[in-house]
Amino acid sequence: MKVKQISVFLENKSGRLAKVTEVLGENNINIRALSIADTTDFGILRLIVDNPDQALTALRNAGFTVSTTDVLAVEVDDQPGSLSNAMRALDEQGINIEYLYAFVQKDPQKALVVFRVEQIDDAILTLQKNGVTLMGSDEVYTM
């Protein structure tokens, strides 16, 4: 139920994000989801890709500072209020969400939300007990 996320430290300079996507493309790695948080001087690019181990190697070989993090991928109905069920369940167990990002799937009735939490195993149990659909890494990587 855990999904590997690639995090790339990027200097806030023109062309750095283009270089990341170029390296991934040259290595036939497909991006499934991405998010970037930036400051004046740098940014952290978070990626879900179809082959995280290969992406990690390719980006390191290209000189980027990269790491992997386990995250959760939760599938919710694409309608108002669906995400709140998962949020409420985690809140009631005192599980803090460090960050999240979302994207739509091929099924227009569903959305996929990527969560980073401190207590990932507790979060998995909590979400499962509350009927929240967690997607496995194979499902996410092959979307």
Side-chain angles (χ1 to χ4, degrees):
M1 294 295 167
K2 298 175 187 174
V3 176
K4 278 188 183 177
Q5 172 191 265
I6 304 291
S7 296
V8 185
F9 178 84
L10 292 175
E11 296 172 54
N12 199 353
K13 292 183 178 177
S14 177
R16 296 298 287 163
L17 184 57
K19 182 64 178 172
V20 170
T21 58
E22 181 181 298
V23 168
L24 295 175
E26 289 171 351
N27 286 276
N28 201 30
I29 297 166
N30 208 356
I31 299 169
R32 300 294 179 215
L34 64 86
S35 170
I36 191 163
D38 68 334
T39 65
T40 303
D41 298 325
F42 67 90
I44 302 293
L45 173 65
R46 296 182 174 113
L47 298 160
I48 304 293
V49 298
D50 61 348
N51 189 332
D53 294 331
Q54 185 181 349
L56 188 70
T57 300
L59 291 168
R60 280 188 177 149
N61 289 343
F64 289 100
T65 301
V66 296
S67 63
T68 60
T69 305
D70 286 333
V71 294
L72 300 175
V74 172
E75 183 183 67
V76 296
D77 292 334
D78 191 14
Q79 62 185 24
S82 294
L83 184 57
S84 69
N85 295 335
M87 297 290 167
R88 186 178 318 107
L90 294 174
D91 180 49
E92 288 173 357
Q93 292 301 310
I95 297 172
N96 186 41
I97 299 169
E98 293 182 15
Y99 59 82
L100 64 81
Y101 50 98
F103 57 103
V104 293
Q105 298 186 55
K106 292 177 185 171
D107 180 349
Q109 305 302 314
K110 302 288 182 182
L112 188 62
V113 183
V114 176
F115 289 80
R116 167 71 175 139
V117 297
E118 290 178 3
Q119 306 122 306
I120 194 165
D121 293 325
D122 293 340
I124 290 170
L125 291 174
T126 297
L127 293 170
Q128 288 175 329
K129 286 180 185 174
N130 285 276
V132 176
T133 303
L134 290 163
M135 295 185 70
S137 57
D138 288 342
E139 292 175 281
V140 174
Y141 301 156
T142 58
M143 290 179 64

